[in-house]
Amino acid sequence: MVSADPDSRYIDPIGKIDASTTYVALTSREWSVAKRGGALEFAVLGLLHEAPMHGYELRKQLTGLLGWGRVLSYGSLYPCLKVMLKDGYIVEDTTESDAAGLRPRRRKIVYKLTVAGKELFAELVSATGPSAWEDDSFGVHFAFFAKTDAATRLRILEGRRTRLEERVEGVKSSLARTRERLDAYTLELQRHGLESVEREVRWLSELIDNERLGRPEPRATADGAQPAAAPATTARKYQPHGPSRTATEPTKPEK
């Protein structure tokens, strides 16, 4: 069965926790988070560490943090919050009342971190093992890099780059063996996945160099947005059928 994600069809998942290969021990709480959709729980901890939030605002912030176009449903968020409440990492605050001091208005549940939640976030944000390099969790770790030291950032960035470089070499080797048996579109999809990972490797190398030189963290653009994660590549020619043309060049209508 073909995966719905074009990149994952050809680039294996990165950084899976494997007891036979993991050489950085995970704490019991980090392992617990890793087992149950840890990226979401980690992101909730990080956002609530900055400020208490009600469910709507938390979902909105999480969508921006985890999303890249993916919408986080309440069906994913609230079960996660329920487990975190049970485990004692967060609490609900429902003390909001009417401004005039009369009968309470409809209350919004505001979620806050407990002491245990703050301790768990501090533990997770400083973790540098393979769980920090995975596709699902690396972006969350990167989002909270400002709360870590340079050594932690370097360890995670270098681990992520090493894993990606290994995948790139594997895909290149596979392409060399199978390209003659692939149709043009399948080959193009493989190249697209390969180029995406190569772009990330270049981006990671730039970040690593900056960390080693002690340069300031990436600056936001004029409109307040963070710079793109990786530079765009130059349009490359490909030829599924007919005369070659660049991928960005529109097809001219036939007269």
Side-chain angles (χ1 to χ4, degrees):
M1 181 178 292
V2 177
S3 170
D5 181 356
D7 288 352
S8 67
R9 180 180 174 187
Y10 304 108
I11 308 296
D12 291 337
I14 298 161
K16 286 186 176 179
I17 300 176
D18 184 344
S20 64
T21 59
T22 298
Y23 52 87
V24 178
L26 301 179
T27 66
S28 59
R29 286 195 294 181
E30 183 183 352
W31 179 252
S32 174
V33 172
K35 286 196 297 182
R36 59 168 191 254
L40 177 56
E41 185 166 325
F42 182 22
V44 169
L45 289 168
L47 291 174
L48 294 183
H49 189 272
E50 297 174 356
M53 296 183 193
H54 56 76
Y56 172 79
E57 180 63 22
L58 186 56
R59 175 176 175 262
K60 185 169 135 183
Q61 294 287 339
L62 286 167
T63 296
L65 183 64
L66 300 173
W68 294 281
R70 184 178 64 193
V71 177
L72 177 70
S73 70
Y74 287 114
S76 298
L77 174 59
Y78 282 110
C80 175
L81 294 175
K82 184 177 180 181
V83 171
M84 294 176 72
L85 283 164
K86 180 180 178 182
D87 289 347
Y89 297 136
I90 61 175
V91 292
E92 296 177 340
D93 184 353
T94 57
T95 60
E96 186 178 357
S97 62
D98 183 75
L102 304 176
R103 63 188 180 91
R105 64 183 180 183
R106 184 176 181 181
R107 296 172 179 177
K108 292 180 180 178
I109 297 175
V110 176
Y111 297 95
K112 298 180 179 180
L113 281 190
T114 62
V115 172
K118 292 177 181 178
E119 291 175 351
L120 178 59
F121 175 71
E123 190 174 309
L124 293 176
V125 81
S126 61
T128 59
S131 63
W133 313 337
E134 296 180 21
D135 288 337
D136 288 340
S137 59
F138 172 74
V140 181
H141 275 273
F142 189 83
F144 299 124
F145 261 14
K147 301 182 185 299
T148 62
D149 56 40
T152 298
R153 294 192 294 269
L154 269 173
R155 176 68 175 139
I156 294 173
L157 291 171
E158 289 173 344
R160 173 74 172 174
R161 183 177 66 176
T162 297
R163 288 294 178 88
L164 287 174
E165 287 173 338
E166 291 171 354
R167 301 302 181 189
V168 165
E169 291 306 312
V171 172
K172 284 182 176 179
S173 176
S174 177
L175 273 174
R177 295 192 307 269
T178 63
R179 64 183 304 130
E180 299 301 326
R181 302 195 299 271
L182 300 176
D183 64 78
Y185 292 104
T186 301
L187 183 60
E188 188 62 23
L189 193 59
Q190 288 195 354
R191 286 172 175 167
H192 170 71
L194 182 60
E195 288 175 355
S196 296
V197 179
E198 287 176 329
R199 283 198 301 272
E200 185 173 346
V201 169
R202 291 194 295 271
W203 173 64
L204 290 167
S205 295
E206 182 180 342
L207 291 172
I208 290 169
D209 290 342
N210 288 342
E211 288 291 341
R212 287 173 176 166
L213 294 173
R215 292 175 182 170
E217 63 188 47
R219 292 179 298 173
T221 57
D223 60 0
Q226 290 296 325
T233 55
T234 306
R236 179 181 48 76
K237 293 183 179 181
Y238 87 104
Q239 185 178 1
H241 297 293
S244 65
R245 61 178 185 271
T246 62
T248 56
E249 180 183 348
T251 306
K252 296 181 180 179
E254 297 183 0
K255 295 183 179 179

